Amino acid sequence: MMKTAPVEPNPPRPIPAPRAPRVLRGAVRVAATFTAADAVLQALLAGRFLAGNFDSLALHGTNAIVLGVLTVVLLGMTVARSRVEHGPWWPVAAAGALLAAEGLQVWVAQRNLLELHVPLGVGVIAALIMITTWAWRDPHAGRESLRHSPEAQPAVEPR
């Protein structure tokens, strides 16, 4: 008599992610999006000033403070998310470098060094796009084990 293995009535369900990391992930997404949008606003205000609207310079200076505060918040949330999720280190390093670059932006602007101020601003926006892209990516994408996929099996030469 042959015995069969017992069949489970219901297949196991995936365990949902804990609530705290999901909330933190959402907060990082909001912070990254607002910071990136504010950096684009900063570039628009600079463009208006360079086009001859001199009132935009005061707004550009005030918005630099707002951008700095948003970047500090983003850095803190990035550190928290990377620690909670045991995620990559580069977003934390990028947010820290971003904060330093924004400080350098203020120093360069006070000395009227537009030849450095403008390209550094482009770099700030590029870094924010990278961080924002990371923030919106699914943290579990690509983590499935490839051990059981046919592509991951080593090719066996026939004898």
Side-chain angles (χ1 to χ4, degrees):
M1 206 165 144
M2 191 186 317
K3 292 186 176 183
T4 59
V7 177
E8 292 184 32
N10 293 322
R13 293 184 181 177
I15 299 170
R19 182 158 173 73
R22 283 188 292 168
V23 170
L24 182 60
R25 206 173 306 132
V28 170
R29 288 173 177 168
V30 168
T33 302
F34 281 161
T35 307
D38 192 57
V40 171
L41 174 63
Q42 188 71 340
L44 292 172
L45 291 170
R48 288 182 52 128
F49 169 70
L50 293 174
N53 183 339
F54 299 111
D55 293 336
S56 294
L57 184 59
L59 290 173
H60 183 72
T62 302
N63 195 53
I65 296 167
V66 173
L67 184 58
V69 169
L70 287 171
T71 303
V72 168
V73 170
L74 177 62
L75 176 60
M77 289 187 170
T78 303
V79 168
R81 178 176 168 186
S82 290
R83 291 194 72 186
V84 167
E85 293 183 350
H86 305 288
W89 61 269
W90 73 262
V92 175
L98 185 62
L99 188 59
E102 289 173 6
L104 182 60
Q105 276 285 71
V106 172
W107 185 83
V108 167
Q110 290 173 344
R111 281 146 188 81
N112 292 324
L113 299 172
L114 287 179
E115 62 275 12
L116 296 176
H117 188 70
V118 173
L120 190 55
V122 172
V124 164
I125 291 174
L128 277 166
I129 289 170
M130 286 175 37
I131 294 170
T132 305
T133 301
W134 164 78
W136 281 95
R137 283 207 172 148
D138 180 8
H140 304 294
R143 287 194 183 178
E144 292 78 30
S145 174
L146 295 177
R147 254 183 264 153
H148 301 293
S149 71
E151 297 84 21
Q153 298 298 321
V156 177
E157 296 287 327
R159 292 184 184 200

mmCIF file of all heavy atoms in Angstrom, residues 99-116:
data_model
loop_
_atom_site.group_PDB
_atom_site.id
_atom_site.type_symbol
_atom_site.label_atom_id
_atom_site.label_comp_id
_atom_site.label_asym_id
_atom_site.label_seq_id
_atom_site.Cartn_x
_atom_site.Cartn_y
_atom_site.Cartn_z
ATOM 1 N N LEU A 99 23.259 67.394 1.565
ATOM 2 C CA LEU A 99 23.222 68.447 2.579
ATOM 3 C C LEU A 99 24.511 69.277 2.541
ATOM 4 O O LEU A 99 24.470 70.505 2.604
ATOM 5 C CB LEU A 99 23.005 67.838 3.963
ATOM 6 C CG LEU A 99 22.753 68.815 5.100
ATOM 7 C CD1 LEU A 99 21.509 69.665 4.836
ATOM 8 C CD2 LEU A 99 22.609 68.064 6.412
ATOM 9 N N ALA A 100 25.645 68.603 2.399
ATOM 10 C CA ALA A 100 26.921 69.317 2.290
ATOM 11 C C ALA A 100 26.967 70.167 1.019
ATOM 12 O O ALA A 100 27.443 71.314 1.047
ATOM 13 C CB ALA A 100 28.079 68.315 2.302
ATOM 14 N N ALA A 101 26.453 69.631 -0.085
ATOM 15 C CA ALA A 101 26.440 70.382 -1.346
ATOM 16 C C ALA A 101 25.553 71.617 -1.241
ATOM 17 O O ALA A 101 25.891 72.680 -1.792
ATOM 18 C CB ALA A 101 25.968 69.483 -2.485
ATOM 19 N N GLU A 102 24.454 71.501 -0.513
ATOM 20 C CA GLU A 102 23.583 72.671 -0.348
ATOM 21 C C GLU A 102 24.250 73.734 0.508
ATOM 22 O O GLU A 102 24.087 74.933 0.255
ATOM 23 C CB GLU A 102 22.239 72.245 0.235
ATOM 24 C CG GLU A 102 21.405 71.466 -0.765
ATOM 25 C CD GLU A 102 20.145 70.881 -0.170
ATOM 26 O OE1 GLU A 102 19.837 71.160 1.010
ATOM 27 O OE2 GLU A 102 19.458 70.133 -0.887
ATOM 28 N N GLY A 103 25.008 73.318 1.511
ATOM 29 C CA GLY A 103 25.788 74.286 2.285
ATOM 30 C C GLY A 103 26.826 74.971 1.419
ATOM 31 O O GLY A 103 27.034 76.191 1.508
ATOM 32 N N LEU A 104 27.485 74.198 0.569
ATOM 33 C CA LEU A 104 28.453 74.772 -0.376
ATOM 34 C C LEU A 104 27.753 75.711 -1.349
ATOM 35 O O LEU A 104 28.312 76.755 -1.716
ATOM 36 C CB LEU A 104 29.166 73.643 -1.122
ATOM 37 C CG LEU A 104 30.237 74.047 -2.121
ATOM 38 C CD1 LEU A 104 31.352 74.839 -1.438
ATOM 39 C CD2 LEU A 104 30.795 72.811 -2.828
ATOM 40 N N GLN A 105 26.534 75.368 -1.744
ATOM 41 C CA GLN A 105 25.750 76.236 -2.632
ATOM 42 C C GLN A 105 25.568 77.630 -2.022
ATOM 43 O O GLN A 105 25.712 78.634 -2.708
ATOM 44 C CB GLN A 105 24.363 75.636 -2.893
ATOM 45 C CG GLN A 105 24.284 74.635 -3.984
ATOM 46 C CD GLN A 105 24.358 75.281 -5.346
ATOM 47 O OE1 GLN A 105 25.401 75.763 -5.765
ATOM 48 N NE2 GLN A 105 23.248 75.289 -6.035
ATOM 49 N N VAL A 106 25.233 77.661 -0.747
ATOM 50 C CA VAL A 106 25.039 78.950 -0.070
ATOM 51 C C VAL A 106 26.349 79.739 -0.045
ATOM 52 O O VAL A 106 26.381 80.931 -0.345
ATOM 53 C CB VAL A 106 24.484 78.732 1.365
ATOM 54 C CG1 VAL A 106 24.460 80.030 2.149
ATOM 55 C CG2 VAL A 106 23.089 78.115 1.307
ATOM 56 N N TRP A 107 27.439 79.064 0.288
ATOM 57 C CA TRP A 107 28.750 79.724 0.363
ATOM 58 C C TRP A 107 29.147 80.272 -1.009
ATOM 59 O O TRP A 107 29.609 81.411 -1.120
ATOM 60 C CB TRP A 107 29.789 78.717 0.873
ATOM 61 C CG TRP A 107 31.135 79.313 1.095
ATOM 62 C CD1 TRP A 107 31.550 79.989 2.194
ATOM 63 C CD2 TRP A 107 32.244 79.276 0.191
ATOM 64 N NE1 TRP A 107 32.854 80.386 2.026
ATOM 65 C CE2 TRP A 107 33.310 79.950 0.807
ATOM 66 C CE3 TRP A 107 32.437 78.741 -1.080
ATOM 67 C CZ2 TRP A 107 34.539 80.106 0.204
ATOM 68 C CZ3 TRP A 107 33.667 78.886 -1.683
ATOM 69 C CH2 TRP A 107 34.700 79.560 -1.048
ATOM 70 N N VAL A 108 28.957 79.481 -2.062
ATOM 71 C CA VAL A 108 29.312 79.893 -3.426
ATOM 72 C C VAL A 108 28.414 81.054 -3.871
ATOM 73 O O VAL A 108 28.880 82.008 -4.496
ATOM 74 C CB VAL A 108 29.199 78.686 -4.384
ATOM 75 C CG1 VAL A 108 29.235 79.102 -5.831
ATOM 76 C CG2 VAL A 108 30.312 77.687 -4.099
ATOM 77 N N ALA A 109 27.144 80.993 -3.519
ATOM 78 C CA ALA A 109 26.203 82.049 -3.923
ATOM 79 C C ALA A 109 26.548 83.379 -3.254
ATOM 80 O O ALA A 109 26.448 84.439 -3.885
ATOM 81 C CB ALA A 109 24.779 81.642 -3.574
ATOM 82 N N GLN A 110 26.975 83.328 -1.991
ATOM 83 C CA GLN A 110 27.324 84.567 -1.291
ATOM 84 C C GLN A 110 28.554 85.234 -1.897
ATOM 85 O O GLN A 110 28.772 86.418 -1.691
ATOM 86 C CB GLN A 110 27.547 84.288 0.189
ATOM 87 C CG GLN A 110 26.268 83.949 0.909
ATOM 88 C CD GLN A 110 26.492 83.495 2.341
ATOM 89 O OE1 GLN A 110 27.602 83.146 2.736
ATOM 90 N NE2 GLN A 110 25.418 83.488 3.122
ATOM 91 N N ARG A 111 29.340 84.484 -2.617
ATOM 92 C CA ARG A 111 30.527 85.034 -3.268
ATOM 93 C C ARG A 111 30.288 85.303 -4.755
ATOM 94 O O ARG A 111 31.226 85.580 -5.492
ATOM 95 C CB ARG A 111 31.706 84.081 -3.064
ATOM 96 C CG ARG A 111 32.280 84.247 -1.679
ATOM 97 C CD ARG A 111 32.795 82.975 -1.081
ATOM 98 N NE ARG A 111 33.161 83.159 0.327
ATOM 99 C CZ ARG A 111 32.329 83.146 1.336
ATOM 100 N NH1 ARG A 111 31.043 83.010 1.117
ATOM 101 N NH2 ARG A 111 32.728 83.297 2.571
ATOM 102 N N ASN A 112 29.040 85.179 -5.201
ATOM 103 C CA ASN A 112 28.636 85.433 -6.580
ATOM 104 C C ASN A 112 29.424 84.607 -7.593
ATOM 105 O O ASN A 112 29.777 85.091 -8.664
ATOM 106 C CB ASN A 112 28.738 86.929 -6.922
ATOM 107 C CG ASN A 112 27.720 87.742 -6.165
ATOM 108 O OD1 ASN A 112 26.604 87.287 -5.945
ATOM 109 N ND2 ASN A 112 28.109 88.942 -5.758
ATOM 110 N N LEU A 113 29.682 83.372 -7.265
ATOM 111 C CA LEU A 113 30.406 82.479 -8.168
ATOM 112 C C LEU A 113 29.393 81.630 -8.948
ATOM 113 O O LEU A 113 29.231 80.433 -8.707
ATOM 114 C CB LEU A 113 31.370 81.596 -7.383
ATOM 115 C CG LEU A 113 32.463 82.318 -6.602
ATOM 116 C CD1 LEU A 113 33.228 81.348 -5.719
ATOM 117 C CD2 LEU A 113 33.403 83.033 -7.565
ATOM 118 N N LEU A 114 28.698 82.278 -9.890
ATOM 119 C CA LEU A 114 27.652 81.588 -10.639
ATOM 120 C C LEU A 114 28.197 80.442 -11.474
ATOM 121 O O LEU A 114 27.489 79.467 -11.735
ATOM 122 C CB LEU A 114 26.900 82.570 -11.541
ATOM 123 C CG LEU A 114 25.959 83.536 -10.832
ATOM 124 C CD1 LEU A 114 25.308 84.470 -11.833
ATOM 125 C CD2 LEU A 114 24.904 82.784 -10.058
ATOM 126 N N GLU A 115 29.473 80.543 -11.882
ATOM 127 C CA GLU A 115 30.058 79.460 -12.678
ATOM 128 C C GLU A 115 30.169 78.151 -11.882
ATOM 129 O O GLU A 115 30.269 77.078 -12.454
ATOM 130 C CB GLU A 115 31.429 79.853 -13.238
ATOM 131 C CG GLU A 115 32.492 80.145 -12.204
ATOM 132 C CD GLU A 115 32.497 81.575 -11.661
ATOM 133 O OE1 GLU A 115 31.542 82.328 -11.907
ATOM 134 O OE2 GLU A 115 33.476 81.922 -10.984
ATOM 135 N N LEU A 116 30.116 78.239 -10.552
ATOM 136 C CA LEU A 116 30.077 77.053 -9.694
ATOM 137 C C LEU A 116 28.662 76.789 -9.164
ATOM 138 O O LEU A 116 28.255 75.642 -8.997
ATOM 139 C CB LEU A 116 31.028 77.215 -8.505
ATOM 140 C CG LEU A 116 32.509 77.322 -8.837
ATOM 141 C CD1 LEU A 116 33.311 77.574 -7.568
ATOM 142 C CD2 LEU A 116 32.993 76.068 -9.533
#
